[in-house]
Amino acid sequence: MKLLLFDIDGTLIKPIQSSRIHIEYVLGELCGRSISTQGVSFSGRTDPQIFEETLHLAGFTPEETEYLIPIALKRYTAHATYVSDEVEPSDGVVELLEYLKPNKSVQLALLTGNVRVTAYRKLAAARLDDLFPFGAFGCDHADRNKLPAIAASRALKHCGRTFVKDDIVIIGDSVHDITCGQGIGALSVAVATGYTSYQDLKSAEPGVLLRDLTNIDDFCHQAGIKSDAC
C-alpha cells in the first residue's frame, strides 16, 4: 500500500490570493497598524513560517514575533473562510482523486503548511474535503520537514500498518514539497501547477516531475501504484 500525501495550495487547488488578505487583516487588527505580506513567499511554507517572516519584515523583534504568532494563528483560524467561487481544483485533480478513492492499494492523506482548520475549509470549498481523513499540518510543526513523520504516524493509527521510505509519496508543487520527505526516504512527485516553474522543480531533483495531474495512468505508473489496482 502507498501513502499518498497531497499538498493543497498549488497542488490540489489552484493558487488563491485571499490567504494573503486574511493574514494581513488578522495581523493588522492584532498589531494596530497595516501589515503587508509583500515579499513573503507562501509556496511550500507553513503558516507559522509565513507569519514569522511577515512580522520580521514588518520590524518586530524575535521576542515580539514569538509572542504574537500563537495569537495571530488563533485569530487567523477563526477569521479565514473560503467559498467555492474562489477555490478551484487544479487540472485533473477531481478525476485523479475519484479514480484513486476506491483503490485499496493507496491511502489518501494531506501534507500541508496550512493549519488543519483552514486546510479543510479550502478543501470543502472545492468539495474535496471528504477524501482526506487525516494528514499533517502547519499547526503540527512550523518546520515542514517534520511533517512527513507526523503523517506516517497518523497513517499507522488510521490504517494499522507502517509506511516507510517510498511507500510514502509526497505530491506537491514547490521545492519544499520535494525536500521535506528526504529524511525518511519518501518518493517526491513534483507538479508544475503552482508558482514554482517546471525548470526550478527539475533543478531540485524530485523523484518524479509532472506538468500537471491530468494523466492518471502516468501518475499511477510514476508513483509506483500497481496498474491492476489503478
Side-chain angles (χ1 to χ4, degrees):
M1 176 180 276
K2 297 283 188 180
L3 174 62
L4 305 184
L5 299 175
F6 284 86
D7 173 57
I8 295 179
D9 299 276
T11 304
L12 289 175
I13 63 173
K14 295 180 180 181
I16 54 178
Q17 290 298 316
S18 58
S19 293
R20 288 185 181 271
I21 296 171
H22 293 317
I23 288 174
E24 290 175 354
Y25 172 82
V26 166
L27 288 178
E29 287 286 298
L30 177 61
C31 300
R33 63 180 174 90
S34 178
I35 303 291
S36 174
T37 59
Q38 185 176 357
V40 178
S41 173
F42 280 34
S43 182
R45 310 285 297 284
T46 64
D47 284 345
Q49 287 175 328
I50 292 168
F51 276 97
E52 180 180 15
E53 184 174 352
T54 301
L55 289 167
H56 170 72
L57 291 177
F60 290 89
T61 67
E63 293 76 17
E64 290 170 330
T65 298
E66 184 179 2
Y67 170 76
L68 288 169
I69 286 176
I71 303 171
L73 284 170
K74 185 175 181 179
R75 294 191 182 187
Y76 173 65
T77 301
H79 171 77
T81 58
Y82 301 89
V83 296
S84 58
D85 288 348
E86 64 178 329
V87 182
E88 182 180 356
S90 295
D91 295 341
V93 161
V94 172
E95 295 80 5
L96 174 62
L97 294 179
E98 287 299 322
Y99 201 71
L100 292 173
K101 182 179 179 181
N103 188 337
K104 301 301 182 183
S105 72
V106 301
Q107 174 62 58
L108 301 178
L110 298 169
L111 193 153
T112 175
N114 289 278
V115 294
R116 187 182 188 281
V117 171
T118 56
Y120 278 105
R121 282 180 187 159
K122 290 179 180 180
L123 293 178
R127 296 187 175 90
L128 301 175
D129 54 313
D130 63 340
L131 297 173
F132 299 96
F134 65 93
F137 307 91
C139 52
D140 293 317
H141 206 289
D143 184 353
R144 195 182 192 97
N145 294 336
K146 304 293 185 182
L147 298 185
I150 293 172
S153 176
R154 289 178 178 158
L156 173 60
K157 294 179 181 178
H158 183 85
C159 303
R161 60 156 296 164
T162 300
F163 294 89
V164 296
K165 297 188 176 180
D166 59 2
D167 288 340
I168 302 171
V169 183
I170 299 175
I171 305 101
D173 66 292
S174 78
V175 172
H176 297 290
D177 295 301
I178 295 170
T179 59
C180 74
Q182 290 179 340
I184 60 173
L187 173 67
S188 59
V189 177
V191 289
T193 50
Y195 289 121
T196 306
S197 70
Y198 184 92
Q199 188 57 50
D200 285 345
L201 291 173
K202 184 178 181 180
S203 297
E205 300 182 345
V208 176
L209 177 57
L210 303 172
R211 295 283 181 184
D212 54 38
L213 295 172
T214 57
N215 190 324
I216 294 173
D217 290 337
D218 188 34
F219 173 84
C220 290
H221 173 71
Q222 299 275 21
I225 299 169
K226 295 179 181 178
S227 58
D228 61 353
C230 194

